[in-house]
């Protein structure tokens, strides 16, 4: 019995950890678990060493995740730079040659050849793994919020994402590589600590640590933060991004690990990029994939200031305009996404590739024609070629990418439109931030409109694509346009154009994504200028408030289009008019403490629920039902032994409880079925499944075995004893954990935690179960493996309290239990979504 108690303790705690509040990781259970020999010892001395070893391994893993994420960023940056230099080098030489010979059409065809080839390859990779499309931030946000998106953190997704974003950025699409870095870091965080891969099944090691959803979610949070840190060189911003936009469940110990992981990613990428590009290993000159450079006034201009108090008024107005532009961008993109869902996605996959090629074709033609026809030749000064010191560093390191373009312009002049279009987006942003030469207001206005429309059309096609850099570039053009207008037409000579370009970029990006704290810190770290903290924060707040008046952020919009039950931070005040009984699901699918295999298989095959209440029913003829049937007797005995009354606190006095006749057990009592031959067992179980056997009348009220049953009989009182997960039930069936009716339940085999978690994170599916190996009349005792003490709420609990408990504790299922211990319903994530609560609130008002 000591061994059984040890198994009971371990499995019950594990159930609680996996099914509900994950208060302790499996490794901690193993480390701190009681053994048979040391049952009386609270915490054996040797377990302290195991605990320290476990914590040390966890720190090593977050460091490895940061390093690997930095190396992924290095790979993306290296090949994007290589492909872009190759493309622009060939096209620029062709344009210069053809501008004199009159063969510009040939140059356009060369550019089309490069872009269409790269975009075609990116689309093919998305066909291999469709979840690799887009930035991946909405999917990772869902995962960290508690919703598992199939395939989102697989190795194949990472490979398709990384190589796909290489080709989509090199193909000239208005997308960024910074957003997919967040997804890539999350995949690294999910897969690296597991030491196994479903894509490469041969890659599997017997690694005993981190075999729980809680650990995996923590590592995904660290990986996503490392992706932000590698993309922007902002480790603190990455940590705040993971906290603000991603994780629903956070703890203090995780903060240090996530920050350490972000630092590791930043300095890994910085170390290798600085060494490869400048040959100065260990100099740490390039902190992230996107570097804004240093903002500073010229030493000769004594009247220049980065910003003044009077500029804050302009920044607020720019925030309002940025919020309006962001809301317009999101509205148009939402309409495009709905159109794709109705008219593109249902069609053959080749149509998605053709759409991507069409976007690439139009983008290439627009960029070429705009540079040839709409660009203006601006005077080139000596300072405009170099800019400030940080920009000069960028120019010397990227001879082609960051140089200004002189397409079709005479000597000592440059084409301002071509300088923005025929450069990598990061270099174009640097041009707008630090270029001392002027851009024509007409050029900036046309560039903003064209870029706005094409970026909106591009985001959502079947290629890996980010939105950060396109939004920054579009907003920087808007800010530079405002600075030009204030300088030229209002006469405000003190304005620093780079500051207005940065504020414009912040306003537009904030209006699109609606991030505040993390985005403020990311931009401050990217500029390396703390004095920009106040204007950036004010601008982002105003842009968010303005945009929220019209619609949600772009990521929340795409989450909503996918129908994911994402939980917000809190509910609205008016939702407190609802109670738990208003939003719960009363039609329950449940199991008994001792249930036949045929019932378990039927339940698992005819439902998709991930957890089931373990209950007993209340009837007045308890003693009669206990006679002559071991199954009923075991269930009643368990109920009696598990019920704790008020007097039981003193002497554990038993309270008279009632039994139940379910449809299954009633038939068993009426006729004693003799043991069947093995050849007939398969037929019995298969027939039961073929006719959709209903083990309990309240599962399918319309198909009730008796039409004479009243509502009270269909929804009989159920005493609640705990929750058990689908994965646990399937594991018990696969491993043959059961006992016969002629035996005691103590004869049932016991599984350890290691055996129960052996198949994590991909447990076997009930539909893959071999029915010939099952005896449908055998009984499974689920009580050692259920969670006997999950979080519960009263039917009268306010929805706001239910929501806060559900979100902060990281719950998946929340039983609603009345005052006498009977379960009356269950609440899942779906019951707490904004749309569901709104519908229930409307019904509430109609009944008043």
């Amino acid at each position: 019995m000591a061994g059984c108690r040890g198994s009971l303790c371990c499995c019950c705690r594990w159930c609680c950890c996996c099914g509900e509040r994950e208060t302790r990781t499996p490794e901690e259970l193993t480390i701190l678990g009681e053994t048979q020999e040391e049952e009386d010892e609270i915490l054996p001395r040797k377990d302290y060493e195991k605990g320290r070893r476990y914590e040390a391994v966890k720190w090593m893993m977050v460091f490895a995740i940061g390093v690997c994420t930095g190396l992924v960023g290095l790979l993306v940056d290296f090949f994007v730079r290589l492909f872009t230099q190759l493309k622009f080098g060939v096209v620029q030489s062709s344009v210069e040659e053809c501008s004199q010979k009159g063969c510009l059409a040939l140059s356009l065809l060369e550019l089309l050849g490069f872009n269409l080839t790269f975009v075609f390859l990116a689309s093919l990779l998305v066909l291999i793994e469709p979840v690799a499309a887009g930035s991946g931030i909405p999917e990772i946000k869902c995962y960290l919020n508690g919703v598992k998106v199939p395939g989102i953190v697989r190795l194949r997704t990472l490979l398709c994402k990384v190589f796909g974003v290489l080709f989509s950025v090199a193909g000239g699409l208005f997308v960024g590589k910074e957003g997919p870095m967040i997804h890539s870091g999350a995949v690294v965080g999910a897969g690296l600590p597991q030491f196994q891969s479903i894509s490469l099944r041969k890659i599997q090691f017997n690694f005993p640590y981190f075999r729980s959803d809680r650990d995996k979610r923590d590592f995904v949070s660290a990986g996503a933060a490392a992706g932000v840190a590698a993309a922007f060189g902002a480790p603190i911003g990455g940590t705040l991004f993971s906290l603000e936009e991603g994780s629903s469940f956070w703890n203090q110990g995780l903060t240090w690990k996530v920050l350490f992981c972000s630092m590791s990613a930043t300095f890994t990428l910085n170390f290798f990029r600085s060494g490869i590009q400048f040959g100065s290993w260990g100099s740490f000159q390039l902190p992230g994939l996107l570097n804004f450079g240093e903002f500073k006034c010229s030493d000769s201009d004594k009247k220049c200031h980065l910003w003044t108090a009077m500029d804050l008024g302009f920044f607020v107005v720019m925030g309002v305009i940025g919020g309006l532009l962001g809301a317009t961008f999101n509205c148009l993109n939402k309409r495009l996404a709905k159109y794709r869902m109705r008219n593109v996605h249902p069609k053959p996959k080749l149509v998605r590739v053709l759409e991507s090629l069409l976007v690439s074709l139009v983008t290439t033609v627009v960029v070429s024609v705009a540079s040839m026809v709409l660009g203006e030749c601006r005077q080139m000064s000596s300072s405009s070629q170099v800019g400030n010191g940080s920009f000069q560093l960028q120019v010397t390191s990227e001879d082609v990418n960051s140089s200004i373009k002189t397409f079709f312009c005479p000597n000592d002049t440059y084409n301002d439109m071509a300088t923005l279009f025929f450069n990598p987006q990061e270099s174009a942003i640097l041009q707008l931030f630090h270029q001392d030469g002027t851009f024509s207001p007409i050029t900036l206005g046309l560039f903003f409109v064209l870029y706005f429309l094409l970026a909106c059309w591009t985001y959502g096609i079947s290629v890996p694509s980010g939105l950060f850099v396109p939004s920054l570039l579009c907003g920087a053009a808007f800010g530079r346009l405002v600075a030009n207008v204030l300088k030229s037409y209002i006469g405000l000579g003190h304005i620093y154009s780079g500051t207005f370009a940065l504020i414009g970029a912040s306003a537009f990006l904030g209006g699109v994504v609606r991030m505040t704290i993390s985005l403020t810190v990311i931009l401050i770290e990217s500029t390396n200028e703390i004095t920009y903290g106040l204007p950036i924060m004010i601008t982002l707040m105003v842009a968010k408030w303005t945009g929220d008046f019209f619609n949600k952020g772009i990521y929340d919009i795409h989450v909503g289009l996918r129908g994911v039950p994402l939980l917000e931070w809190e509910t609205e005040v008016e939702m407190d008019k609802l109670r738990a009984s208003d939003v719960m699901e009363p039609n329950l699918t449940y199991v008994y403490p001792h249930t036949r295999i045929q019932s378990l298989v039927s339940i698992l095959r005819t439902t998709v629920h991930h957890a089931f209440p373990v209950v007993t029913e209340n009837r007045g003829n308890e003693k009669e039902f206990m006679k002559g049937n071991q199954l009923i007797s075991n269930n009643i005995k368990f109920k009696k032994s598990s019920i704790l009354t008020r007097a039981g606190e003193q002497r554990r006095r038993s309270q008279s409880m009632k039994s139940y006749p379910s449809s299954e057990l009633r038939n068993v009592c009426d006729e004693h079925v003799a043991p069947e031959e093995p050849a007939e067992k398969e037929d019995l179980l298969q027939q039961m499944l073929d006719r959709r056997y209903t083990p309990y009348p309240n599962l399918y009220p319309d198909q009730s075995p008796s039409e004479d049953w009243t509502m009270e009989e269909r929804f009989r009182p159920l005493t609640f004893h705990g929750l058990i997960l689908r994965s646990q039930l399937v594991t018990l069936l696969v491993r043959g954990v059961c006992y016969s009716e002629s035996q005691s339940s103590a004869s049932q085999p016991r599984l350890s935690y290691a055996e129960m978690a052996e198949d994590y994170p991909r447990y076997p599916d009930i539909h893959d179960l071999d029915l010939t190996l099952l005896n449908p009349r055998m009984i499974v005792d689920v009580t050692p493996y259920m969670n006997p003490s999950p979080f519960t709420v009263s039917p009268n609990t306010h929805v706001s309290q239910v929501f806060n408990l559900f979100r902060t504790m990281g719950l998946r299922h929340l039983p609603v239990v009345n005052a006498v211990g009977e379960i009356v319903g269950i609440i899942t994530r779906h019951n707490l979504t904004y749309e569901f609560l709104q519908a229930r609130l409307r019904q509430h008002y109609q009944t008043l």
Side-chain angles (χ1 to χ4, degrees):
M1 291 301 292
C4 294
R5 287 195 299 268
S7 175
L8 174 62
C9 179
C10 176
C11 294
C12 290
R13 291 183 181 177
W14 174 74
C15 299
C16 181
C17 177
C18 295
E20 296 297 318
R21 182 185 181 186
E22 300 172 357
T23 56
R24 198 179 296 277
T25 62
E27 291 67 37
E28 290 169 336
L29 292 175
T30 304
I31 293 167
L32 304 178
E34 300 173 359
T35 62
Q36 181 175 357
E37 295 76 17
E38 298 169 326
E39 193 173 12
D40 297 330
E41 190 173 358
I42 298 177
L43 189 62
R45 182 179 301 274
K46 63 179 182 180
D47 289 339
Y48 285 107
E49 299 178 1
K50 293 182 180 179
R52 287 195 297 266
R53 187 185 308 120
Y54 169 78
E55 191 69 14
V57 172
K58 199 166 189 177
W59 279 97
M60 292 171 60
M61 291 310 305
V62 296
F63 175 75
I65 291 171
V67 172
C68 291
T69 304
L71 294 177
V72 170
L74 178 68
L75 174 70
V76 172
D77 179 72
F78 177 80
F79 282 101
V80 167
R81 189 182 304 277
L82 179 64
F83 293 154
T84 306
Q85 287 180 351
L86 174 64
K87 181 182 71 173
F88 282 143
V90 173
V91 172
Q92 183 175 3
S93 61
S94 177
V95 169
E96 293 176 354
E97 181 179 354
C98 289
S99 60
Q100 300 175 356
K101 298 181 179 180
C103 57
L104 292 177
L106 180 61
S107 301
L108 178 59
L109 290 177
E110 290 179 350
L111 184 60
L112 280 173
F114 276 108
N115 289 347
L116 292 177
T117 301
F118 289 144
V119 173
F120 177 73
L121 294 175
S123 298
L124 288 183
L125 290 171
V126 170
L127 291 184
I128 297 175
E129 187 56 72
V131 78
S135 66
I137 295 179
E139 291 80 4
I140 294 301
K141 185 175 181 179
C142 294
Y143 187 92
L144 295 178
N145 192 261
V147 181
K148 289 187 177 180
V149 182
I152 192 64
V153 290
R154 291 176 59 181
L155 177 61
R156 187 169 65 180
T157 303
L158 174 64
L159 297 177
C160 293
K161 193 82 172 186
V162 170
F163 290 101
V165 76
L166 291 178
F167 296 122
S168 59
V169 174
L173 294 177
F174 291 165
V175 299
K177 58 182 181 289
E178 284 72 18
M181 274 300 303
I182 301 173
H183 186 188
S184 301
V187 179
V188 172
L192 190 61
Q194 300 298 317
F195 284 93
Q196 62 180 354
S197 171
I198 192 174
S199 301
L200 301 175
R201 298 184 184 275
K202 293 183 179 180
I203 301 179
Q204 188 169 1
F205 301 93
N206 187 17
F207 191 65
Y209 299 100
F210 317 126
R211 313 297 294 171
S212 73
D213 288 336
R214 175 194 174 186
D215 284 326
K216 190 173 183 178
R217 186 173 62 243
D218 289 349
F219 286 127
V220 170
S221 299
V228 176
F232 298 97
I236 300 177
T239 304
L240 293 176
F241 172 86
S242 185
L243 174 61
E244 177 186 7
E245 286 297 311
S247 301
S248 301
F249 332 117
W250 197 265
N251 59 78
Q252 185 177 7
L254 183 61
T255 306
W256 267 112
K257 294 182 179 68
V258 171
L259 181 59
F260 179 63
C261 184
S262 301
M263 288 288 185
S264 303
T266 300
F267 285 98
T268 298
L269 181 62
N270 198 342
F271 176 80
F272 284 101
R273 285 192 71 200
S274 302
I276 292 174
Q277 294 189 31
F278 302 124
S280 55
W281 296 91
S283 60
F284 298 104
Q285 300 180 41
L286 297 173
L289 297 180
L290 180 61
N291 184 15
F292 290 165
E294 182 183 358
F295 289 79
K296 65 178 183 179
C297 295
S298 175
D299 296 335
S300 59
D301 190 356
K302 302 299 182 182
K303 297 182 180 180
C304 175
H305 300 282
L306 293 181
W307 65 278
T308 62
M310 186 178 66
D311 296 334
L312 288 176
F314 296 116
F315 297 159
V316 171
V317 175
M318 292 176 67
V320 173
I321 298 175
L324 294 174
L325 293 173
T328 304
F329 184 96
N330 294 351
C331 179
L332 294 176
N333 190 262
K334 182 178 180 180
R335 292 180 179 271
L336 283 171
K338 288 184 176 180
Y339 177 82
R340 290 188 179 104
M341 294 172 64
R342 291 193 304 264
N343 302 285
V344 178
H345 294 175
K347 295 182 179 180
K349 294 182 178 180
L350 182 62
V351 177
R352 305 184 188 184
V353 178
L354 294 178
E355 183 196 16
S356 301
L357 294 177
L358 176 62
V359 173
S360 177
L361 175 65
V362 174
T363 301
T364 304
V365 172
V366 169
V367 167
S368 301
V369 173
S371 300
M372 296 177 186
V373 179
L374 302 178
E376 293 188 15
C377 294
R378 313 292 294 180
Q379 187 65 35
M380 184 186 302
S381 62
S382 58
S383 60
S384 68
Q385 300 181 39
V386 177
N388 60 34
S390 64
F391 190 59
Q392 182 180 4
L393 181 65
Q394 190 80 4
V395 171
T396 56
S397 64
E398 302 178 14
D399 297 333
V400 177
N401 292 352
S402 63
S403 62
I404 56 180
K405 306 300 179 181
T406 60
F407 289 175
F408 320 112
C409 288
N411 294 333
D412 297 330
T413 59
Y414 66 95
N415 188 323
D416 55 357
M417 185 71 78
T419 299
L420 296 177
F421 272 133
F422 275 89
N423 266 322
Q425 296 174 101
E426 292 82 358
S427 299
I429 292 175
L430 289 174
Q431 292 278 358
L432 293 171
F433 283 174
H434 302 290
Q435 173 69 275
D436 289 340
T438 59
F439 291 91
S440 167
I442 297 178
T443 298
L444 291 172
L446 291 173
F447 175 81
F448 173 80
V449 172
L450 294 176
Y451 205 95
F452 180 94
L453 296 176
L454 289 175
C456 184
W457 186 21
T458 303
Y459 188 73
I461 63 174
S462 294
V463 297
S465 57
L467 195 60
F468 273 92
V469 171
S471 299
L472 287 172
L473 179 54
C474 197
F478 157 66
R480 191 66 181 253
L481 175 62
V482 172
N484 284 8
V485 170
L486 293 178
K487 272 187 174 183
S488 303
Y489 298 97
I490 301 181
L492 300 178
H494 74 282
I495 287 179
Y496 182 71
S497 300
T499 297
F500 275 75
L502 175 64
I503 296 301
S506 305
F508 186 78
L509 180 59
V512 171
V513 301
R514 313 289 167 79
M515 294 161 51
T516 52
I517 302 174
S518 58
L519 188 55
T520 300
V521 177
I522 288 172
L523 293 175
I524 292 174
E525 289 185 283
S526 299
T527 58
N528 198 25
E529 185 61 57
I530 190 61
T531 58
Y532 281 137
L534 179 62
I536 289 177
M537 183 178 63
I538 292 176
T539 303
L540 289 176
M541 290 173 57
V542 173
K544 175 178 171 56
W545 291 340
T546 304
D548 286 342
F549 186 78
F550 298 96
N551 51 33
K552 294 183 178 180
I554 188 68
Y555 301 134
D556 292 328
I557 287 176
H558 281 265
V559 168
L561 291 176
R562 289 172 172 83
V564 177
L566 194 70
L567 297 184
E568 303 294 338
W569 283 103
E570 57 186 8
T571 60
E572 297 180 356
V573 177
E574 61 178 351
M575 294 300 175
D576 262 353
K577 297 178 181 178
L578 299 175
R579 304 299 175 105
S581 57
D582 297 322
V583 300
M584 71 180 186
E585 174 55 54
N587 196 12
L588 300 174
T589 303
Y590 52 84
V591 299
Y592 297 116
H594 299 263
T595 309
R596 295 193 188 276
I597 286 181
Q598 63 182 19
S599 296
L600 291 180
V601 173
S602 176
I603 292 172
L604 293 172
R605 285 204 168 190
T606 56
T607 65
V608 293
H609 306 308
H610 291 280
F612 303 94
V614 180
V615 302
T616 52
E617 298 184 12
N618 298 333
R619 285 281 178 171
N621 52 352
E622 169 186 303
K623 294 183 178 179
E624 294 297 326
F625 276 92
M626 289 183 65
K627 296 180 180 179
N629 190 279
Q630 185 68 26
L631 175 62
I632 298 178
S633 178
N634 287 344
N635 281 318
I636 294 176
K637 289 178 180 178
F638 170 79
K639 180 174 66 174
K640 284 189 173 184
S641 63
S642 61
I643 293 298
L644 183 66
T645 62
R646 182 170 62 91
E649 289 293 331
Q650 303 296 328
R651 300 185 59 179
R652 295 193 174 276
R653 184 184 55 165
S654 299
Q655 179 185 8
S656 176
M657 303 297 295
K658 301 177 181 180
S659 183
Y660 53 88
S662 70
S663 61
E664 172 202 354
L665 301 181
R666 177 183 296 171
N667 295 335
V668 172
C669 293
D670 292 342
E671 54 181 274
H672 296 281
V673 181
E676 301 176 2
E677 298 297 326
E680 299 178 1
K681 294 174 183 175
E682 177 186 359
D683 296 336
L684 174 63
L685 186 56
Q686 192 61 52
Q687 291 173 9
M688 177 268 294
L689 292 176
D690 290 342
R691 66 174 182 266
R692 290 183 63 84
Y693 174 80
T694 55
Y696 313 122
N698 58 342
L699 286 181
Y700 306 96
D702 296 335
Q703 305 176 20
S704 174
S706 174
E707 297 296 336
D708 298 332
W709 281 354
T710 63
M711 184 65 67
E712 287 73 17
E713 289 178 316
R714 295 184 181 184
F715 293 88
R716 297 185 299 280
L718 303 172
T719 300
F720 179 68
H721 297 286
L723 280 178
I724 190 164
L725 302 180
R726 166 182 288 267
S727 59
Q728 295 171 285
L729 292 177
V730 176
T731 301
L732 294 177
L733 293 176
V734 169
R735 295 185 176 272
V737 179
C738 57
Y739 68 96
S740 65
E741 191 170 359
S742 61
Q743 297 175 330
S744 170
S745 61
S747 63
Q748 175 177 282
R750 291 291 189 263
L751 295 182
S752 65
Y753 169 77
E755 293 173 316
M756 292 290 289
E758 183 177 341
D759 296 320
Y760 178 85
R762 299 173 186 89
Y763 292 100
D765 188 82
I766 186 62
H767 297 282
D768 299 332
L769 197 62
D770 188 358
L771 300 180
T772 61
L773 302 178
L774 299 176
N775 184 343
R777 306 303 299 176
M778 297 290 282
I779 303 172
V780 179
D781 180 9
V782 304
T783 57
Y785 309 98
M786 72 178 185
N787 177 10
S789 55
F791 284 97
T792 59
V793 293
S794 165
N796 295 323
T797 307
H798 289 285
V799 164
S800 61
Q801 294 175 285
V802 174
F803 189 92
N804 292 334
L805 177 64
F806 202 95
R807 200 180 196 283
T808 55
M809 292 294 103
L811 307 183
R812 299 292 182 273
H813 310 86
L814 185 60
V816 182
V817 180
N818 62 17
V820 294
E822 297 171 348
I823 184 171
V824 294
I826 196 166
I827 297 175
T828 62
R829 299 179 64 88
H830 170 73
N831 303 105
L832 296 177
T833 58
Y834 177 80
E835 294 77 11
F836 186 89
L837 292 178
Q838 284 288 346
R840 291 299 187 188
L841 189 62
R842 287 193 295 268
Q843 294 179 6
H844 175 75
Y845 285 139
Q846 292 174 0
T847 56
L848 293 180

